Amino acid sequence: MIPGDTGEDRALIERFLEMMTADAGAAKNTVAAYRSDLLLASGVLGGRLVQASPDDLARVATVWLDLSKASVARKSAALRRFFAFLAEEGHRTDDPGNALPRPGASRGLPKVLDHADVDRLFAAIAQRIARDPPDPKDLRLAALVELLYGSGLRATELVSLPRRAIASDRPYLILRGKGGKERLVPLSDRARAAVVLWRQQVAVESAWLFPSGKTHLSRIRLYQLLKGLAAEAGIPPDRVSPHVLRHAFATHLLAGGADLRALQAMLGHADIATTEIYTHVDASHLVALVNARHPLADTTRRVDAKTPEA
């Protein structure tokens, strides 16, 4: 037992590692290394890693002074991802991860799917449900993917939706997160239609929209279903996960002109800095945006229009 440990560190570390496995598709060796790094850091702080301040993390980093840059980079990455997870899940209102060293390593961007990849996923689903009659499991998969990509739900939020959480005549969903915080999530017509078709297969007495046994579908099973769909659609399975589809929702909205603050609210991020990672739109979009919206670009067009031909 870690000195001073109340159990909160261990519980949240395991939840974080479950997310890494189910949402991000982390390899077993990565998960094992992260578990070791996080538990060791928790030990340095007497079992109070979850409540760590920037000064506490600076103290943890002093233990790494004799380690290689690669080891320090990995340990820092483990802790930064852990604190980003705590902030996103509502366990903290801040993210002290910036206090950790970055030995020559830049923050990697999440994996992303382009529009063509997403189209291939939905084409594979459409082919499945075109069968007469469609397999109920395919109707379930259609509803899951529509909600992941169409609304940007977290995997846990998605699999634990109550059976009546989504109404066919209401274009939004109200989710209650950590600390009782509520957020409004938009629902596309396609997503609501997919849910209606799937819900007809769910027992009326079920508490869950996506039941499995005595509880709801697990995040691990959702992860497996998406990997299978990716392979069927001709996309490398390691490029697709629940988090990747949530990321595609965000990046494609921003590329289409969505406001960053509105996206923050839809994703349920406590800190705008967490949302800013989704701003890595391609350069061609940025150039087109400047050419279309910048006042000097407009002036240039007006000057060109008034310039007489030679």
Side-chain angles (χ1 to χ4, degrees):
M1 179 70 71
I2 298 170
D5 185 12
T6 62
E8 185 180 22
D9 273 9
R10 290 178 179 270
L12 287 174
I13 287 171
E14 290 306 317
R15 285 189 59 184
F16 165 70
L17 295 174
E18 179 187 347
M19 181 278 295
M20 288 287 294
T21 301
D23 294 7
K28 289 183 179 179
N29 288 344
T30 300
V31 171
Y34 275 26
R35 177 180 283 108
S36 175
D37 293 337
L38 292 169
L39 289 176
L40 287 172
S42 180
V44 171
L45 299 179
R48 300 289 178 179
L49 181 61
V50 171
Q51 293 87 22
S53 66
D55 288 343
D56 291 330
L57 296 186
R59 179 155 61 93
V60 170
T62 62
V63 180
W64 304 339
L65 291 178
D66 295 330
L67 300 179
S68 67
K69 287 186 177 181
S71 294
V72 173
R74 190 201 70 225
K75 290 177 180 293
S76 288
L79 267 69
R80 282 197 300 273
R81 294 191 74 164
F82 179 61
F83 284 108
F85 165 79
L86 294 180
E88 186 171 334
E89 294 286 311
H91 297 285
R92 292 187 65 123
T93 58
D94 64 329
D95 183 350
N98 286 334
L100 293 162
R102 295 175 180 266
S106 60
R107 184 180 183 183
L109 294 172
K111 298 174 184 177
V112 66
L113 296 176
D114 60 24
H115 289 285
D117 292 326
V118 173
D119 288 344
R120 283 196 287 271
L121 287 177
F122 282 109
I125 293 174
Q127 189 172 3
R128 284 193 186 192
I129 62 177
R131 299 164 185 160
D132 189 16
D135 187 324
K137 291 182 179 179
D138 293 333
L139 295 176
R140 179 183 66 178
L141 183 60
L144 289 167
V145 177
E146 289 284 1
L147 289 170
L148 276 174
Y149 177 67
S151 299
L153 298 182
R154 298 182 179 99
T156 300
E157 294 170 341
L158 175 61
V159 297
S160 61
L161 284 174
R163 186 178 185 277
R164 292 293 180 184
I166 297 173
S168 60
D169 61 345
R170 190 177 63 198
Y172 60 87
L173 169 67
I174 297 176
L175 290 177
R176 186 181 297 274
K178 298 296 181 181
K181 294 181 180 178
E182 291 186 341
R183 80 176 194 274
L184 186 147
V185 177
L187 295 170
S188 68
D189 292 341
R190 285 177 46 144
R192 284 181 288 146
V195 168
V196 168
L197 287 175
W198 160 243
R199 194 162 49 205
Q200 294 172 4
Q201 310 295 324
V202 181
V204 175
E205 63 272 16
S206 172
W208 313 105
L209 180 58
F210 300 105
S212 179
K214 295 182 179 179
T215 181
H216 55 72
L217 188 74
S218 70
R219 297 200 305 188
I220 295 292
R221 183 58 184 147
L222 173 63
Y223 171 80
Q224 293 169 340
L225 291 172
L226 291 179
K227 295 294 182 186
L229 178 64
E232 186 177 327
I235 302 171
D238 63 355
R239 292 184 56 214
V240 180
S241 72
H243 183 70
V244 167
L245 283 175
R246 173 173 159 88
H247 177 60
F249 162 82
T251 52
H252 294 171
L253 271 183
L254 281 176
D259 177 76
L260 193 63
R261 286 288 181 183
L263 185 60
Q264 177 191 7
M266 286 187 280
L267 292 172
H269 289 161
D271 189 340
I272 190 67
T274 307
T275 316
E276 286 172 349
I277 194 171
Y278 295 106
T279 60
H280 67 288
V281 294
D282 61 79
S284 61
H285 170 74
L286 294 176
V287 171
L289 181 63
V290 170
N291 287 337
R293 302 293 179 87
H294 197 284
L296 288 182
D298 194 43
T299 301
T300 301
R301 284 195 293 271
R302 289 198 300 269
V303 170
D304 289 343
K306 293 178 180 179
T307 301
E309 294 183 1

